[in-house]
């Protein structure tokens, strides 16, 4: 047994307690107090390193100072047969003067200079009564908040009359806006009709002029063969008369 075993103070001294359910991270704190007049090096170890996150897991405690170590249990499926496997050990040693390399301190430490403080993990599951109480409190809290909100939101008679007046004004404003919207819709519809008529009018004029041009072209093309026949007949008659005479 070393000197450190009498001067190092752990809080809690023997057990680390974790309260379930263990569906989320559960954190408990371990306080390491150094009442001596020398610096002390410490290191926290566990038999289940995958289940815990320890911050800080090593360091230096000044003379008369206290360091708080957070031990965070990760979510897991609780197994009663496994609880005896979870243990922690806090190793401590007096720090040499002008310490700079912590790893070298632990590597060169003699067994007689080390102090090992062991702690076991205790898992506390909530009882059925606790579950019922938690459920009732979670249900009653929203109801209480709702009742408070309702109590705060109950208006006075004067505010009620004021709200009615504002409501009437809003209704009249809505009606006026609706009538303006209907007028704008009628004007928009009238503009659309005028636009359609304007589009149809040039199209009909173009169709009439186009048909007239086609008719003139047809007449011109039909009169051209008749003229050629007359000219040919004149020439034939002229030549025949010349030969006969």
């Amino acid at each position: 047994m070393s000197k450190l075993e009498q001067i190092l103070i752990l809080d809690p001294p023997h057990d680390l307690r974790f309260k379930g359910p263990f569906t989320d991270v559960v954190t408990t704190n371990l306080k390491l107090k150094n009442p001596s007049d020398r610096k002390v090096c410490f290191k926290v170890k566990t038999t289940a390193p995958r289940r815990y996150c320890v911050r800080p897991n090593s360091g230096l405690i000044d003379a008369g100072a206290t360091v708080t170590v957070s031990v965070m249990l990760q979510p897991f499926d609780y197994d009663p047969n496994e609880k005896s496997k979870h243990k922690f050990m806090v190793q401590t040693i007096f720090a040499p003067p002008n310490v700079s390399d912590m790893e070298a301190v632990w590597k060169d430490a003699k067994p007689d200079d080390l102090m090992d403080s062991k702690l076991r993990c205790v898992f506390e599951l909530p009882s059925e009564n606790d579950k019922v109480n938690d459920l009732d409190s979670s249900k009653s809290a929203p109801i209480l908040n709702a009742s408070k909100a309702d109590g705060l939101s109950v208006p006075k008679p004067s505010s009620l009359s004021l709200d009615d007046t504002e409501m009437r004004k809003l209704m009249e404003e809505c009606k006026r806006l609706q009538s303006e919207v209907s007028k704008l819709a009628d004007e928009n519809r009238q503009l659309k009709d005028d636009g359609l008529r304007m589009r149809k009018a040039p199209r009909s004029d173009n169709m009439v002029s186009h048909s007239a041009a086609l008719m003139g072209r047809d007449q011109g093309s039909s009169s051209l063969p008749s003229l050629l026949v007359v000219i040919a007949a004149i020439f034939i008659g002229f030549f025949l008369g010349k030969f006969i005479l």
Side-chain angles (χ1 to χ4, degrees):
M1 184 178 297
S2 64
K3 287 184 179 181
L4 285 174
E5 203 163 358
Q6 285 88 29
I7 63 172
L8 189 68
I9 300 174
L10 275 66
D11 182 22
H14 305 294
D15 301 329
L16 290 176
R17 296 185 175 273
F18 300 92
K19 187 174 181 180
F22 305 106
T23 56
D24 202 353
V25 177
V26 182
T27 303
T28 187
N29 292 326
L30 172 65
K31 292 183 179 180
L32 305 178
K33 185 176 182 180
N34 176 20
S36 69
D37 57 354
R38 296 176 57 186
K39 292 182 179 181
V40 175
C41 300
F42 76 93
K43 183 183 291 187
V44 182
K45 297 181 179 180
T46 178
T47 57
R50 294 184 179 179
R51 293 289 175 84
Y52 297 92
C53 181
V54 182
R55 292 290 182 273
N57 59 0
S58 63
L60 192 68
I61 307 175
D62 292 330
T66 302
V67 171
T68 301
V69 178
S70 297
V71 181
M72 292 164 278
L73 174 63
Q74 304 304 305
F76 74 108
D77 295 328
Y78 176 69
D79 184 5
N81 298 324
E82 192 181 358
K83 63 181 181 180
S84 60
K85 299 179 182 179
H86 292 219
K87 295 178 182 178
F88 276 83
M89 182 177 67
V90 180
Q91 254 185 349
T92 51
I93 186 174
F94 277 123
N98 301 324
V99 58
S100 58
D101 189 356
M102 297 292 293
E103 292 296 329
V105 171
W106 291 107
K107 185 177 180 181
D108 299 337
K110 298 178 181 180
D112 293 338
D113 296 334
L114 296 174
M115 193 272 302
D116 297 337
S117 299
K118 295 181 180 179
L119 301 97
R120 64 190 183 108
C121 297
V122 178
F123 302 106
E124 298 177 352
L125 291 174
S127 62
E128 294 297 328
N129 293 331
D130 294 338
K131 291 181 181 178
V132 172
N133 293 333
D134 292 341
L135 184 61
D136 292 340
S137 62
S138 63
K139 286 183 178 179
S140 62
I143 295 173
L144 183 61
N145 293 333
S147 63
K148 288 181 179 179
D150 294 339
L152 292 173
S153 62
V154 173
K156 296 180 180 179
S158 60
S159 62
L160 276 175
S161 62
L162 183 62
D163 292 341
D164 292 339
T165 305
E166 292 179 355
M167 184 62 69
R168 285 195 214 96
K169 291 181 180 179
L170 287 175
M171 293 295 292
E172 292 175 359
E173 186 69 18
C174 288
K175 289 180 181 179
R176 187 180 64 80
L177 291 174
Q178 287 178 356
S179 63
E180 291 182 0
V181 168
S182 62
K183 289 180 182 178
L184 290 174
D186 294 337
E187 292 178 359
N188 190 19
R189 195 180 301 110
Q190 186 67 29
L191 289 173
K192 286 184 179 179
D193 295 338
D194 294 341
L196 289 174
R197 282 196 296 270
M198 291 177 66
R199 288 196 203 98
K200 289 180 180 179
R203 188 178 298 174
S204 61
D205 294 341
N206 291 333
M207 290 178 65
V208 170
S209 60
H210 185 65
S211 60
L214 288 175
M215 289 176 65
R217 192 181 301 170
D218 293 339
Q219 290 177 358
S221 60
S222 61
S223 62
L224 183 62
S226 301
L227 183 62
L228 292 175
V229 170
V230 171
I231 294 172
I234 292 172
F235 275 108
I236 292 171
F238 176 75
F239 283 114
L240 284 176
K242 194 173 183 179
F243 283 117
I244 292 172
L245 294 176

